[in-house]
Short mmCIF file of all heavy atoms in Angstrom, two decimals:
data_model
loop_
_atom_site.label_atom_id
_atom_site.label_comp_id
_atom_site.label_asym_id
_atom_site.label_seq_id
_atom_site.Cartn_x
_atom_site.Cartn_y
_atom_site.Cartn_z
N ILE A 13 -47.83 158.21 -29.86
CA ILE A 13 -48.50 157.47 -30.93
C ILE A 13 -49.00 158.44 -32.01
O ILE A 13 -48.82 158.20 -33.21
CB ILE A 13 -49.65 156.60 -30.37
CG1 ILE A 13 -49.07 155.48 -29.49
CG2 ILE A 13 -50.50 156.01 -31.50
CD1 ILE A 13 -50.10 154.72 -28.69
N TYR A 15 -47.76 161.37 -32.71
CA TYR A 15 -46.58 161.91 -33.40
C TYR A 15 -46.03 160.92 -34.44
O TYR A 15 -45.89 161.24 -35.62
CB TYR A 15 -45.49 162.28 -32.37
CG TYR A 15 -44.27 162.89 -33.01
CD1 TYR A 15 -44.23 164.25 -33.30
CD2 TYR A 15 -43.19 162.09 -33.36
CE1 TYR A 15 -43.12 164.80 -33.91
CE2 TYR A 15 -42.08 162.64 -33.98
CZ TYR A 15 -42.05 164.00 -34.25
OH TYR A 15 -40.97 164.53 -34.87
N ASN A 17 -47.31 158.20 -35.61
CA ASN A 17 -48.30 157.78 -36.60
C ASN A 17 -48.42 158.80 -37.73
O ASN A 17 -48.72 158.47 -38.86
CB ASN A 17 -49.66 157.59 -35.91
CG ASN A 17 -50.68 156.93 -36.82
OD1 ASN A 17 -50.44 155.84 -37.33
ND2 ASN A 17 -51.78 157.60 -37.04
N ASN A 28 -48.05 146.02 -23.89
CA ASN A 28 -48.06 144.88 -22.96
C ASN A 28 -48.56 145.44 -21.63
O ASN A 28 -48.73 146.67 -21.49
CB ASN A 28 -46.68 144.19 -22.89
CG ASN A 28 -45.60 145.08 -22.31
OD1 ASN A 28 -45.87 145.95 -21.48
ND2 ASN A 28 -44.37 144.88 -22.74
N SER A 33 -49.48 150.01 -18.03
CA SER A 33 -49.44 150.48 -16.63
C SER A 33 -48.71 151.81 -16.51
O SER A 33 -48.98 152.60 -15.61
CB SER A 33 -48.80 149.43 -15.73
OG SER A 33 -47.40 149.39 -15.95
N PHE A 84 -54.24 142.19 -32.83
CA PHE A 84 -53.52 140.94 -32.57
C PHE A 84 -53.42 140.74 -31.06
O PHE A 84 -53.13 141.68 -30.32
CB PHE A 84 -52.11 140.99 -33.20
CG PHE A 84 -52.16 140.93 -34.70
CD1 PHE A 84 -52.52 142.04 -35.45
CD2 PHE A 84 -51.88 139.74 -35.37
CE1 PHE A 84 -52.60 141.98 -36.83
CE2 PHE A 84 -51.96 139.67 -36.76
CZ PHE A 84 -52.31 140.80 -37.50
N PRO A 88 -48.32 135.01 -23.93
CA PRO A 88 -46.98 134.55 -23.56
C PRO A 88 -46.75 133.07 -23.87
O PRO A 88 -47.69 132.26 -23.88
CB PRO A 88 -46.91 134.82 -22.06
CG PRO A 88 -47.91 135.89 -21.80
CD PRO A 88 -49.03 135.60 -22.78
N ALA A 89 -45.48 132.75 -24.10
CA ALA A 89 -45.08 131.38 -24.47
C ALA A 89 -45.05 130.48 -23.23
O ALA A 89 -44.00 130.16 -22.68
CB ALA A 89 -43.72 131.41 -25.15
N LYS A 103 -59.52 129.39 -34.95
CA LYS A 103 -60.75 130.18 -35.13
C LYS A 103 -60.51 131.43 -35.97
O LYS A 103 -61.42 132.22 -36.19
CB LYS A 103 -61.28 130.63 -33.76
CG LYS A 103 -61.92 129.54 -32.92
CD LYS A 103 -62.45 130.19 -31.64
CE LYS A 103 -63.24 129.24 -30.79
NZ LYS A 103 -63.80 129.90 -29.60
N THR A 200 -25.13 165.04 -38.79
CA THR A 200 -24.67 165.48 -40.11
C THR A 200 -25.85 165.70 -41.06
O THR A 200 -25.77 166.51 -41.99
CB THR A 200 -23.66 164.46 -40.69
OG1 THR A 200 -22.60 164.31 -39.74
CG2 THR A 200 -23.06 164.94 -42.00
#
Side-chain angles (χ1 to χ4, degrees):
I13 293 169
Y15 182 84
N17 190 57
N28 65 30
S33 73
F84 289 77
K103 286 183 174 183
T200 305

